[in-house]
Amino acid sequence: MKYTAKPLPKVELPELRQVGKPLRRVDALGKTTGTTVYSGDFTMPNMLHAKVFRSREPSARIKRLDVSRARALPGVVCVLTAADLPDARLVTDMPGQTGQKRRAGSDAPVLASDVVRFAGEPIALIAAETLAVAEQALDLVEIEYEPLPGVFDPLAALQPGAPVVHEPDNVVARWKIRKGDVKAGFAVADVVVENTFRVPFIDHAYIEPESGVAWMDGQDVINIRVCTQVVEHFRSIARAVGVPHNKIHIQGTLLGGGFGGKEDITVEIFLALLAKHTRRPVRLEYTREESILAHSKRHPFIITHRTGVKRNGRITAAEIKMVSDSGAYLYLSPYVLLYATIAASGPYRVDHLKVDSVSAATNNPFTSAFRGFGAAQAAVAYEQQMDEIAKVLGLDPLEVRCVNYLKTGDRNATGQEIKSAVWLEEAATRALEALGEKTPAPSDAVKIGQGFASYLQSYGRITWFHDTSRAWVGLELDGSVVIRCGVPDLGAGQINSLCQIAAEVLGVGLDDVTIYSTDSALTPLAGTTTATRQLYMSGNAVFHAAGAVRESLLERASKHFEEPPDGLDLAEGRVFVKDDPEQSLPLSELAAMCAAGGLPLANLYLFKAPFTSTLDPEGLQGDVFPDFTFGAHAVEVAVDTETGEITLLKSVGCHDVGRAINPAAVVGQIQGGSAQGLGYALMEEVIVEEGIIRTPSLAEYLIPTAMDLPVTQAIILESGSGVGPFGAKGIGEPSLTPAAPAVANAVADALGVRIPDLPLTPDKVLAALDRAAGREAVGAAACETDDDGSEA
Amino acid sequence: MQPKVVTLNVNGRQHYVALMPNVTLLHALRDLGYTDVKSGCEKGDCGACAVLLNGAPVNSCLVLAWQADGAEIVTNVGLGTMDRPHVIQEAFADAGAAQCGYCTPGMVISAKALLDRCPHPTEAEIREAIAGNLCRCTGYGQIIEAVQLAAERMSEGSGE
């Protein structure tokens, strides 16, 4: 079928000088010349080297732990076990926020004492004069386990009689949505479609393993230089180490990738404890194997959709059940589950909706944040379900979506009104148009398929967390600009966007702006680089801080030129009269005038997201997020029916980003985020057997190489309707979300049968073809309904 | 095991270092301060530690320092600096090819090795040349563009 792009609503965005330009990022040349220093590159005089002794058992009682031989090894300076740290817990706070409630008792201990609950759980810390000695000491730690029954499947964990990971039961979180009258909705359905979809554990696989250096200074402050997405963890670290909050100082570095995997605390507490006990600098860097063992995974989900539809595809009711595997400790599982629950019905108007979700504790590796944060898992299910509905009804997949797409002013699953532009059809038709006609198959054995997926994804955090960000912007006396903002930059261009925004507002070039970032004590706290929130939150903070400086400058210039402030403008490092640009001054002279008059040349701005109250857990109806991003991804695949191999031929991502602050960076997000989604669909899986990771390296855990993917064509739409600066929306997480379901739909299109479990590996393709040849029904189970909605 | 003094010629500078036989070139270089050589897996899976060894790209984690005794070693910082970037480093910056940047020094080395032997590579040749360098941020699109841009600029510069 040939698709034509739906015309865009007319939007006129003002032409800007810095914002909207694909400028070279402020951090680019430092990175390409090898000048940028990452956390693993720092050393200190007299530094010790640390190692972590970890459990090899997924569920066991520690019968005996003896570190005396390790302690006695020459060169070993310190060995710590749980006995040295009374009740130190690694509490994953939603840092700096209020309004959260946690289930007591399921947070991880810093070091396991009597029981281990997953393979890889830390048990002892070692600091030695050299890395070689620290490694040798690991082998001298003596431990005896008494194996305990474990539970390794979330569905089994929810059964009565299952081994309990944390008392009183394995239910670590539960959410439900109750909207409209589901029974009535099903009663008017012509057809009910029911399917179950599964997604696996996956790993963030950033190329930079976790690392850091810590040292105590002359004020007894524990300084920690570390790659983290969250410098505000200093509070949790202080609590675990047993020092006041103001004695932990995080000096964050530029990250070598995060994607949610450096959102939880990694090496920080270990480093702080060892530095405190030894009073010497300590360095700790994970090997790749330890990284895979030690950090969180993306939650596996089992998602069942039961959808009532009219013959034209209109959804009359939906009932969705979700189960996620929380692994051995809680971390962010309740919130990942919440995101999945709210996104469960996708970017569609579903007036009668029931969602029940549960996260189960198991003795598997713990799961937590990963780009997309539950909403990505939800999309894999809801977008495959939409294609299955289309198939059952004999309709085009786009047609079914178009009759259900949310529109501005509609309410989402929690009844929150969508206030920004919703360009779902515009994005989907553009992605499909760019995909073009199907490529002819090179042989009978190869089947070509096309598929797409739409999505909605929140940007900005849950509004009942009362999220804030701070930024300081100042003009120096020579006309250069300084930003101080605690934002961690994961590599997506977070600091560059802030610089472009400040440059725009203050009328200077990008080269004239310097940013100091990512320091828990010296830069104003900007909150986490998570939840696609930094452009929205810190972007607004910088926008307003710079705006206040601009106002002060224009007020002084107004007196000088005897023109009203709105008759003046700032550009190219000068202030000038708009109607007569010859009348101008360099910013340095204006700054000197302000300084001479004691006028402020800097501003610290606190930006607040909308603050809401928690919702009634019985139905979860109300506002949860600041806003949403919408878009689509389309792909074409070739499936070799003899080998089961899937080759991606084309890939297109089309997203309304509100306003692209730096279009080159937006392209990078769309191409890079979708690459992770494509890997999720085709190859990525952390294989866990009885709690043991069987893919412990990048030779076993496969991520896409340059040989595996076509370049995703990025189509940027700009509605200007977002709540970020200049009308921007977020694109970090949304770029990933629709890619995996688009692939699943393309493969189903190619084969005529659906494989409901990611990843779509060759063995699953061949098995699905075998089942289809045996005329066995796969996946979709559709049935006509009686008028009362009961299944015939 | 006994240490041996080996000569490491790195970016035109000679280092005489006593090393045990099991020390990898990656660790030897990082200990000498060449921290642009990144450690990502220490098994040859990711390519972040790529350097040129007598002109050929190698994963320095798979080479023992003793094996590099006397060889010419070039790391990313040996190609250029912030003030005088190599054309490949400049092209990577201009094309937006570095996001987190952790894979970048190794990518630049692979690109250098490619363009040394093949000044006008096809997209397929570029993909093959960087197939051993994992990037988790970009999806490789802007990296491929950067290598193409560098190739164009190099042929302009050489008057072709």
Side-chain angles (χ1 to χ4, degrees):
Chain A
M1 182 159 175
K2 202 169 180 330
Y3 297 95
T4 312
K6 184 185 177 183
L8 293 174
K10 199 167 164 53
V11 172
E12 277 187 28
L13 299 177
E15 177 67 21
L16 301 170
R17 296 185 180 96
Q18 301 292 330
V19 162
K21 303 281 188 281
L23 304 178
R24 182 160 102 181
R25 276 168 41 174
V26 295
D27 56 331
L29 201 57
K31 287 175 172 174
T32 65
T33 57
T35 310
T36 300
V37 188
Y38 294 81
S39 68
D41 299 336
F42 286 93
T43 55
M44 293 281 289
N46 202 29
M47 180 179 83
L48 297 172
H49 298 262
K51 277 282 174 190
V52 183
F53 180 84
R54 295 174 181 277
S55 166
R56 292 185 179 178
E57 293 289 326
S59 178
R61 185 168 302 286
I62 299 174
K63 272 171 69 181
R64 189 177 73 90
L65 174 66
D66 185 351
V67 296
S68 56
R69 286 181 63 213
R71 276 198 177 117
L73 183 71
V76 169
V77 175
C78 179
V79 179
L80 298 176
T81 70
D84 305 300
L85 328 165
D87 203 35
R89 296 215 153 245
L90 199 164
V91 176
T92 304
D93 256 329
M94 299 303 258
Q97 313 302 330
T98 55
Q100 64 153 343
K101 290 198 184 97
R102 303 182 62 73
R103 182 181 133 147
S106 44
D107 282 319
V110 170
L111 297 174
S113 52
D114 52 338
V115 169
V116 290
R117 296 184 175 86
F118 74 100
E121 184 159 0
I123 294 171
L125 306 175
I126 294 166
E129 298 290 351
T130 68
L131 191 58
V133 171
E135 281 167 354
Q136 217 183 326
L138 274 184
D139 293 335
L140 298 178
V141 174
E142 292 175 19
I143 189 160
E144 277 178 55
Y145 300 102
E146 175 194 335
L148 296 173
V151 59
F152 305 105
D153 176 272
L155 295 175
L158 296 172
Q159 295 299 316
V164 172
V165 182
H166 301 280
E167 292 297 341
D169 61 31
N170 291 326
V171 176
V172 298
R174 204 186 268 288
W175 299 101
K176 53 185 169 184
I177 288 178
R178 296 291 181 269
K179 185 186 178 193
D181 183 343
V182 173
K183 198 166 172 234
F186 277 112
V188 298
D190 294 325
V191 180
V192 174
V193 181
E194 181 168 342
N195 288 290
T196 296
F197 306 97
R198 289 168 180 259
V199 287
F201 284 105
I202 70 169
D203 192 275
H204 309 80
Y206 24 71
I207 310 302
E208 176 201 45
E210 299 83 345
S211 63
V213 186
W215 67 96
M216 289 190 84
D217 65 20
Q219 287 194 89
D220 257 0
V221 172
I222 303 174
N223 295 272
I224 309 171
R225 208 185 292 273
V226 64
C227 49
T228 175
Q229 296 178 231
V230 182
V231 298
E232 285 87 342
H233 278 318
F234 72 88
R235 300 189 180 103
S236 299
I237 298 163
R239 180 155 58 171
V241 176
V243 299
H245 287 184
N246 65 359
K247 294 295 180 192
I248 300 285
H249 176 192
I250 304 294
Q251 303 183 26
T253 57
L254 292 180
L255 275 79
F259 318 118
K262 294 168 185 167
E263 177 167 343
D264 295 303
I265 290 168
T266 59
V267 295
E268 297 95 314
I269 294 176
F270 304 150
L271 284 168
L273 286 167
L274 289 170
K276 183 166 181 276
H277 277 79
T278 63
R279 294 256 164 197
R280 285 176 64 179
V282 185
R283 178 176 186 274
L284 173 59
E285 179 178 29
Y286 290 167
T287 62
R288 174 59 56 182
E289 286 71 13
E290 188 171 15
S291 169
I292 291 176
L293 209 58
H295 77 248
S296 67
K297 301 288 166 276
R298 190 196 282 283
H299 291 76
F301 268 75
I302 304 157
I303 303 175
T304 299
H305 276 255
R306 185 167 170 264
T307 315
V309 287
K310 303 296 271 185
R311 297 230 169 265
N312 70 352
R314 178 76 186 104
I315 296 168
T316 61
E319 213 173 66
I320 303 163
K321 294 192 170 116
M322 304 179 138
V323 178
S324 79
D325 186 342
S326 156
Y329 292 101
L330 192 60
Y331 289 86
L332 297 169
S333 292
Y335 301 107
V336 172
L337 189 71
L338 177 66
Y339 270 62
T341 305
I342 295 171
S345 55
Y348 304 108
R349 196 156 49 81
V350 183
D351 299 328
H352 306 294
L353 176 66
K354 184 178 170 197
V355 186
D356 286 283
S357 62
V358 59
S359 193
T362 64
N363 295 104
N364 285 327
F366 69 89
T367 45
S368 193
F370 194 133
R371 194 178 194 173
F373 204 79
Q377 290 96 318
V380 171
Y382 65 69
E383 279 305 87
Q384 294 194 80
Q385 176 73 353
M386 291 307 281
D387 265 33
E388 287 301 310
I389 290 168
K391 189 176 170 187
V392 168
L393 296 174
L395 297 174
D396 183 84
L398 179 65
E399 197 180 340
V400 169
R401 286 174 176 82
C402 284
V403 300
N404 291 296
Y405 277 143
L406 287 167
K407 294 182 172 53
T408 302
D410 283 347
R411 292 179 182 275
N412 77 343
T414 68
Q416 177 171 355
E417 185 186 341
I418 311 282
K419 293 180 178 147
S420 63
V422 183
W423 287 0
L424 285 161
E425 193 177 341
E426 289 83 349
T429 51
R430 270 167 186 73
L432 287 165
E433 188 183 57
L435 208 58
E437 297 287 333
K438 268 190 194 175
T439 304
S443 74
D444 288 347
V446 175
K447 306 291 180 199
I448 307 294
Q450 293 191 339
F452 78 102
S454 299
Y455 72 93
L456 92 168
Q457 175 112 32
S458 58
Y459 62 94
R461 295 176 75 185
I462 294 168
T463 45
W464 72 68
F465 288 162
H466 309 155
D467 195 13
T468 58
S469 174
R470 295 150 196 82
W472 183 101
V473 177
L475 186 72
E476 289 301 325
L477 292 179
D478 63 355
S480 64
V481 172
V482 173
I483 303 172
R484 294 189 175 88
C485 181
V487 55
D489 190 312
L490 275 52
Q494 283 89 3
I495 57 172
N496 181 77
S497 292
L498 301 185
C499 292
Q500 264 182 266
I501 291 164
E504 179 69 44
V505 174
L506 292 173
V508 299
L510 191 54
D511 290 346
D512 298 318
V513 184
T514 294
I515 184 165
Y516 296 89
S517 65
T518 334
D519 190 300
S520 70
L522 303 179
T523 56
L525 295 178
T528 64
T529 301
T530 69
T532 310
R533 68 177 283 287
Q534 284 295 7
L535 177 59
Y536 162 49
M537 296 295 298
S538 299
N540 272 322
V542 166
F543 178 79
H544 289 291
V549 175
R550 178 188 171 95
E551 203 174 307
S552 175
L553 291 172
L554 291 184
E555 210 169 297
R556 180 64 189 84
S558 165
K559 290 192 184 106
H560 176 78
F561 290 113
E562 295 179 343
E563 289 279 342
D566 60 5
L568 303 172
D569 201 358
L570 305 176
E572 293 170 19
R574 301 180 77 83
V575 57
F576 61 94
V577 179
K578 279 187 202 166
D579 292 338
D580 180 12
E582 292 298 302
Q583 279 196 67
S584 74
L585 275 181
L587 284 184
S588 54
E589 285 185 31
L590 183 56
M593 287 180 197
C594 290
L599 298 170
L601 283 167
N603 183 267
L604 172 64
Y605 192 86
L606 168 69
F607 180 76
K608 288 184 268 208
F611 283 16
T612 62
S613 306
T614 49
L615 302 182
D616 178 357
E618 289 311 308
L620 222 53
Q621 291 300 295
D623 288 4
V624 185
F625 295 112
D627 192 24
F628 303 86
T629 303
F630 301 91
H633 199 97
V635 300
E636 182 179 277
V637 298
V639 188
D640 187 322
T641 55
E642 289 173 346
T643 63
E645 188 186 13
I646 299 172
T647 307
L648 280 164
L649 299 179
K650 299 177 196 166
S651 170
V652 185
C654 180
H655 305 263
D656 169 23
V657 301
R659 180 98 201 214
I661 302 300
N662 182 320
V666 173
V667 169
Q669 287 305 290
I670 293 174
Q671 293 183 339
S674 62
Q676 292 184 347
L678 299 172
Y680 191 24
L682 290 176
M683 63 183 79
E684 296 188 30
E685 180 173 15
V686 177
I687 297 173
V688 182
E689 289 173 0
E690 300 287 299
I692 305 294
I693 292 177
R694 299 296 185 196
T695 50
S697 78
L698 294 175
E700 289 106 352
Y701 184 79
L702 301 181
I703 63 172
T705 72
M707 303 302 279
D708 297 321
L709 303 175
V711 174
T712 290
Q713 182 185 343
I715 302 175
I716 299 172
L717 305 182
E718 294 183 292
S719 67
S721 69
V723 294
F726 304 98
K729 293 187 169 193
I731 188 61
E733 292 173 282
S735 58
L736 182 151
T737 295
V743 174
N745 286 339
V747 171
D749 177 53
L751 297 178
V753 294
R754 184 167 293 279
I755 304 161
D757 304 344
L758 297 188
L760 306 175
T761 49
D763 55 317
K764 287 187 197 162
V765 170
L766 296 178
L769 287 170
D770 285 348
R771 282 199 303 275
R775 298 190 185 288
E776 197 182 315
V778 179
C783 48
E784 299 290 315
T785 60
D786 292 327
D787 285 343
D788 66 358
S790 64
E791 288 170 21
Chain B
M1 287 196 295
Q2 289 296 318
K4 174 170 100 173
V5 175
V6 297
T7 308
L8 296 178
N9 297 309
V10 189
N11 302 334
R13 192 172 150 207
Q14 282 200 336
H15 300 271
Y16 305 97
V17 268
L19 293 169
M20 299 296 276
N22 62 350
V23 174
T24 62
L25 182 57
L26 165 65
H27 280 284
L29 290 172
R30 287 186 60 83
D31 286 349
L32 285 170
Y34 297 97
T35 55
D36 59 311
V37 184
K38 294 297 176 216
S39 175
C41 70
E42 301 196 54
K43 285 180 67 177
D45 295 330
C46 77
C49 67
V51 300
L52 296 175
L53 189 67
N54 291 331
V58 297
N59 286 322
S60 61
C61 68
L62 297 184
V63 177
L64 295 170
W66 282 20
Q67 293 174 297
D69 193 358
E72 292 295 330
I73 299 158
V74 177
T75 77
N76 183 49
V77 297
L79 299 179
T81 61
M82 292 278 283
D83 293 330
R84 298 173 65 92
H86 187 277
V87 62
I88 298 174
Q89 294 169 328
E90 183 103 48
F92 267 65
D94 290 342
Q99 284 193 30
C100 86
Y102 200 82
C103 75
T104 307
M107 283 283 182
V108 168
I109 288 293
S110 290
K112 174 76 166 64
L114 170 70
L115 295 177
D116 280 350
R117 65 179 165 78
C118 175
H120 305 287
T122 62
E123 183 183 324
E125 286 167 331
I126 295 171
R127 285 179 179 275
E128 201 168 331
I130 61 168
N133 297 84
L134 292 178
C135 169
R136 191 56 157 168
C137 295
T138 65
Y140 304 101
Q142 289 168 319
I143 293 172
I144 293 165
E145 276 174 40
V147 180
Q148 288 165 335
L149 182 62
E152 277 167 34
R153 289 179 179 172
M154 285 163 99
S155 52
E156 282 162 18
S158 66
E160 280 182 52

